[in-house]
Amino acid sequence: MPNLRIETNVAKDKIDMKACLTELSKALANTTGKPEQYMVVQVIPDVAMMFGGSDAPCANAFFMCIGKMGAEENKVHAANLFPIITKHLGVPEDRLYILFRDAPSHEMAWKSTTFKDILGK
């Protein structure tokens, strides 16, 4: 159920996509404590974007999860994600935002039902 989507202006041919996605998926499984089989990780390259008035390499990320989110947890997620994103995309940490969202279980579906029914809460 954790879903990380990163949009970046970095060109696709500059990214080892498999290595990047693999490392991000494992990091999310580690920080959320959820099985990797539930991770969804996307990197969308070649996006027309600017950050701070410059078109130098930058990125914008959205990370959603049911639970395992909050003031302290998000610091851990950020500490794990920023270095990986910097390593694989070449985006400096001061040119990347990550938006965190703790999704209610009734707002996420899988296998024709919601996680509220699957998790029973």
Side-chain angles (χ1 to χ4, degrees):
M1 63 204 92
N3 186 316
L4 175 68
R5 179 182 173 94
I6 303 169
E7 296 179 349
T8 182
N9 61 352
V10 175
K12 183 178 181 179
D13 64 355
K14 303 277 189 204
I15 305 167
D16 180 343
M17 199 61 79
K18 183 169 179 139
C20 179
L21 294 173
T22 298
E23 192 169 350
L24 287 166
S25 181
K26 290 184 184 314
L28 288 179
N30 183 47
T31 63
T32 62
K34 297 178 187 277
E36 193 173 2
Q37 74 182 37
Y38 295 130
M39 302 302 130
V40 174
V41 180
Q42 303 165 299
V43 174
I44 315 302
D46 297 311
V47 175
M49 65 189 317
M50 294 182 83
F51 190 113
S54 168
D55 66 354
C58 61
N60 194 43
F62 176 79
F63 177 46
M64 182 280 305
C65 188
I66 299 171
K68 305 295 183 179
M69 304 290 269
E72 295 307 312
E73 293 94 341
N74 293 351
K75 289 179 191 177
V76 175
H77 297 314
N80 286 320
L81 292 173
F82 270 85
I84 297 168
I85 295 166
T86 296
K87 171 183 165 184
H88 288 284
L89 302 183
V91 172
E93 289 194 5
D94 64 350
R95 295 192 51 76
L96 164 66
Y97 286 140
I98 300 175
L99 174 64
F100 297 99
R101 176 157 188 266
D102 188 358
S105 60
H106 68 274
E107 291 185 5
M108 185 81 175
W110 185 53
K111 292 186 174 182
S112 300
T113 190
T114 65
F115 274 97
K116 180 174 176 121
D117 286 342
I118 294 167
L119 300 173
K121 53 181 174 176

